Amino acid sequence: MLRRCANKTCTVHAEPVLDPHLLMWDIQRTIHVDEWPRTRTTLAVRLSDTDGKPAFWWIVASGDSVEICDFDPGYEVIATLSGNLRTLVQVWRGDVSWAAALAAGDLAVAGPTEVQRAVPQWLGQSIFARAA
């Protein structure tokens, strides 16, 4: 119910917020770290349509901690998620499924096949997307 109300309010009065900092902050605070390998794992994120805001991000998971950087932390990257910010926000909000965004080519994961399959579970969606 809360997601529906929050998303209705956001979409009736304004476009979804397209701020990569806000998106990455929300991902970091709710990421499914238990889904990630226990060893340090780095996923690069390349976003288009960021309107001058940072477009390159790195998500570093190690054990029970997650760090998101807007600078290259220098670790080996296991895969790269690329696409436009709007689509990633829509997936995060639950407006579009990971499967649909990947199938349409709006988001893409470059890396080993098993990692490509795992990235949607690693990142998941907003807690509000699950509440729908």
Side-chain angles (χ1 to χ4, degrees):
M1 174 76 169
L2 180 59
R3 176 194 177 263
R4 284 187 222 124
C5 292
N7 281 345
K8 183 178 179 185
T9 301
C10 289
T11 56
V12 167
H13 297 293
E15 285 290 312
V17 176
L18 298 179
D19 182 339
H21 289 101
L22 181 60
L23 174 64
M24 292 299 166
W25 171 80
D26 200 32
I27 288 173
Q28 180 177 6
R29 70 182 190 84
T30 60
I31 204 162
H32 301 211
V33 71
D34 54 321
E35 299 283 342
W36 289 65
R38 301 313 296 162
T39 57
R40 182 175 56 217
T41 305
T42 304
L43 175 69
V45 179
R46 304 287 180 257
L47 300 171
S48 59
D49 78 337
T50 60
D51 294 328
K53 296 175 183 160
F56 304 113
W57 297 83
W58 291 263
I59 303 173
V60 182
S62 182
D64 291 330
S65 67
V66 175
E67 186 175 351
I68 296 191
C69 307
D70 60 359
F71 60 89
D72 186 346
Y75 303 129
E76 180 180 353
V77 171
I78 194 168
T80 301
L81 170 65
S82 59
N84 66 59
L85 175 60
R86 178 175 298 279
T87 299
L88 190 54
V89 167
Q90 290 171 332
V91 168
W92 186 248
R93 287 170 34 121
D95 299 332
V96 175
S97 70
W98 275 102
L102 292 166
D106 295 330
L107 295 178
V109 180
T113 302
E114 65 274 8
V115 175
Q116 291 177 13
R117 290 185 189 125
V119 165
Q121 287 75 39
W122 288 359
L123 297 180
Q125 291 178 304
S126 163
I127 59 171
F128 297 113
R130 292 190 297 275

